[in-house]
Amino acid sequence: MDDNVSKRIGAAEVASALRREIARGALATHDRLPPERVLARDYGVARGTVREALNQLSSEGLVEIRPGSGSYVALEAHDQPNAVVSNAGPLELIDARFALEPHICRLAVLRARQQDFEKMERLMERMEASEQDPIAFSIADMDFHTVLAQTTGNGLLIWIVSQISSVRNQEQWSRVLESTLNPEIIAEYNIQHRAVVEAIKRREPEPAAALMKEHLETARLSLTRSAAT
């Protein structure tokens, strides 16, 4: 298991850690996941938190929960990220996000609940505590955008976002983190994340979408500058 997960308590964080293990093949198709009590011990969380994380993965089609038997990896080989996803570069990722995330914000305005805002608040606090740690920030950032997609309740959108996010598991992202995520840009991202969430809380769809576009523009500009050096 991820040695750092115990520091990041929450269902979204546990789900993210298990999702990464499935993506990299540490948990193969049809493998039985450890029992809830074992996962709770390994991740340093309550069993209810583990159960919520497994339900989240089940809604994404990554895990099959069999009452009385346990939880199993449900991702089939043909569901694994294909060559297009695996070979996508950071700028392609941003362009794909431009096509989806502003509208995800509009849907979040309609469907986000208090418990969704509480999850986003925990993740924003993690990101704000990670200005000197680009790896920790990147993990929390990916989880934040995943939770934002999950507020829509749209299974297809959630799956597409998970496929796009899987690009971040590629080796080239380590180089991107080193070249783009400095304390100044992380601080700017954190301000933008809070602005987006506040607009969603105020139930303002177009301002929320515009703020997400501004955030993605900042990320794209940072990537472009990095690629030019």
Side-chain angles (χ1 to χ4, degrees):
M1 301 294 176
D2 188 337
D3 292 337
N4 295 320
V5 171
S6 60
K7 302 175 184 177
R8 305 189 301 276
I9 299 173
E13 294 83 359
V14 174
S16 180
L18 290 171
R19 194 182 295 112
R20 288 193 297 274
E21 292 201 11
I22 293 171
R24 68 171 183 252
L27 292 169
T29 305
H30 306 311
D31 276 359
R32 184 178 185 273
L33 274 67
E36 287 181 2
R37 58 179 174 79
V38 174
L39 291 172
R41 180 199 66 203
D42 290 348
Y43 291 119
V45 298
R47 289 183 66 172
T49 301
V50 170
R51 195 169 301 119
E52 184 181 348
L54 292 174
N55 287 334
Q56 181 176 312
L57 295 176
S58 176
S59 71
E60 297 173 18
L62 295 179
V63 165
E64 178 186 359
I65 300 174
R66 303 176 190 173
S69 177
S71 300
Y72 297 80
V73 177
L75 190 69
E76 298 290 347
H78 57 75
D79 291 328
Q80 296 285 356
N82 60 28
V84 173
V85 173
S86 299
N87 295 324
L91 290 175
E92 291 177 286
L93 172 65
I94 291 294
D95 288 343
R97 291 174 62 189
F98 262 110
L100 292 175
E101 294 198 44
H103 189 59
I104 283 173
C105 289
R106 296 186 184 98
L107 293 177
V109 165
L110 296 174
R111 299 173 185 172
R113 301 162 295 174
Q114 181 57 35
Q115 65 193 59
D116 298 316
F117 291 125
E118 290 171 358
K119 290 178 183 177
M120 286 187 274
E121 178 62 33
R122 289 197 296 270
L123 289 166
M124 287 188 294
E125 289 176 355
R126 273 176 49 200
M127 287 186 282
E128 289 163 352
S130 302
E131 286 190 6
Q132 304 297 325
D133 187 344
I135 299 297
F137 172 83
S138 180
I139 292 171
D141 178 58
M142 182 166 60
D143 292 345
F144 172 81
H145 287 275
T146 298
V147 168
L148 191 58
Q150 289 166 352
T151 66
T152 68
N154 185 310
L156 182 57
L157 272 178
I158 294 168
W159 179 83
I160 293 172
V161 168
S162 74
Q163 293 296 295
I164 292 173
S165 295
S166 70
V167 175
R168 296 197 193 192
N169 294 323
Q170 306 303 321
E171 183 178 348
Q172 63 182 314
W173 269 97
S174 296
R175 298 190 295 272
V176 171
L177 294 180
E178 292 176 1
S179 61
T180 64
L181 286 182
N182 56 55
E184 291 75 20
I185 195 68
I186 290 176
E188 185 171 1
Y189 288 165
N190 285 333
I191 292 170
Q192 292 173 337
H193 286 145
R194 283 206 171 271
V196 168
V197 173
E198 288 305 313
I200 294 172
K201 284 182 177 179
R202 293 192 302 268
R203 305 300 177 181
E204 297 175 347
E206 293 312 314
L211 286 164
M212 178 56 75
K213 288 179 182 178
E214 179 182 336
H215 172 55
L216 295 173
E217 286 280 8
T218 302
R220 198 180 201 290
L221 181 59
S222 178
L223 288 169
T224 303
R225 286 173 174 167
S226 174
T229 59

